[in-house]
Amino acid sequence: MPLYLTRFSYTPATWAKLIKNPEDRREAAKQYIESVGGKLHGFWYAFGEHDGYNLWEAPDNVSMAATSLAIGAGGALSSVQTTVLLTVEDTLAALQKASSIRYRPPGEQA
């Protein structure tokens, strides 16, 4: 199954709720991804541009998109971005396939 990295940030209101009532959100994240047949591999909070990161495994892009959409629609996040992660093997296969594509830059004649 493909792996996905999600970067997210909470709204100030969400942080205020968590300060008032601290909650481990890993179990909720696990339930969300398992509901589409996936698995949560990790959940971290961080300093910097994003408040947290998740590493997920999902059966396909549609399942992961559905999970991300459902979480984003909940209103607790100010941003959520998900990146599909490629294995080294997938990247090597893509490199091999790319060698057969005849790319022509804009403005150059064939």
Side-chain angles (χ1 to χ4, degrees):
M1 281 195 285
L3 292 171
Y4 302 86
L5 175 67
T6 298
R7 295 164 305 283
F8 65 90
S9 293
Y10 289 132
T11 65
T14 300
W15 278 121
K17 289 177 185 178
L18 287 169
I19 289 168
K20 187 175 180 179
N21 184 23
E23 178 184 350
D24 184 341
R25 296 296 296 167
R26 289 179 290 190
E27 189 57 37
K30 181 180 173 186
Q31 289 176 5
Y32 304 146
I33 196 65
E34 286 181 353
S35 73
V36 297
K39 181 178 180 182
L40 177 67
H41 286 279
F43 189 117
W44 300 270
Y45 289 107
F47 298 134
E49 188 175 348
H50 304 285
D51 293 331
Y53 296 83
N54 300 113
L55 181 61
W56 320 83
E57 187 173 5
D60 50 56
N61 289 340
V62 172
S63 298
M64 188 64 236
T67 303
S68 185
L69 288 167
I71 293 169
L77 303 178
S78 62
S79 70
V80 60
Q81 302 164 343
T82 300
T83 301
V84 180
L85 301 176
L86 299 174
T87 64
V88 172
E89 293 76 15
D90 286 344
T91 303
L92 290 171
L95 290 168
Q96 289 175 336
K97 189 173 267 193
S99 69
S100 69
I101 298 171
R102 299 182 70 159
Y103 173 74
R104 181 186 58 77
E108 289 190 15
Q109 303 219 353

